[in-house]
Amino acid sequence: MKTKAVLEAADVQRVLEAAVAEAQSNQWAVTIAIVDDGGHLLALRRLDGCAPIGAHIAVEKARSAALGRRETKGYEDMINQGRTAFLSAPVQGLLEGGVPVVVDGQTVGAVGVSGVKADQDAQIAKAGIAVL
């Protein structure tokens, strides 16, 4: 049997705090979602001023990044380059802003962000993950 790393509550809190700090330093009103490797929600924070739909979108971005073990930007790029059949895939977070958390080559979870421009969402997610 193999042993794998998992996100613990303290890890989730550190990632969330770092992501919130990145968003607030840029005055961005976003929602930040953190999921485990199965796409199950571990944390959700909607900052003041973020539209309520951001909570749904951030979770789906995180879930898609965790289950697909890749950044959701790749899915968005694939669709934008003409592979529209991928829209029928059983995932919903196909927009940039979902970033997997990878430890020792294994995806242990993901962070999804929604509320500002796509590359800014990803910037916030990566800032959170960087604390690990």
Side-chain angles (χ1 to χ4, degrees):
M1 223 184 245
K2 292 185 178 184
T3 302
K4 71 174 189 173
V6 295
L7 289 173
E8 294 182 332
D11 302 321
V12 172
Q13 187 61 36
R14 287 177 35 227
V15 170
L16 184 59
E17 288 172 0
V20 167
E22 179 70 15
Q24 289 178 334
S25 72
N26 289 288
Q27 299 180 334
W28 292 333
V30 298
T31 297
I32 302 157
I34 303 172
V35 300
D36 66 13
D37 61 338
H40 306 286
L41 188 62
L42 299 174
L44 180 72
R45 175 94 180 267
R46 183 163 57 104
L47 301 182
D48 293 342
C50 183
I53 196 167
H56 178 76
I57 295 170
V59 171
E60 292 305 324
K61 286 180 179 183
R63 184 172 288 131
S64 295
L67 295 175
R69 299 178 182 166
R70 65 180 68 189
E71 288 193 40
T72 54
K73 180 182 185 337
Y75 298 128
E76 183 176 4
D77 290 346
M78 183 187 327
I79 293 163
N80 288 342
Q81 292 168 5
R83 188 160 184 226
T84 56
F86 195 77
L87 290 169
S88 66
V91 290
Q92 295 180 11
L94 302 176
L95 303 169
E96 182 176 2
V99 181
V101 178
V102 180
V103 176
D104 296 329
Q106 294 186 343
T107 299
V108 298
V111 178
V113 179
S114 179
V116 287
K117 293 179 183 177
D119 62 321
Q120 295 167 335
D121 287 343
Q123 176 183 328
I124 295 165
K126 290 175 183 177
I129 294 167
V131 301
L132 298 176

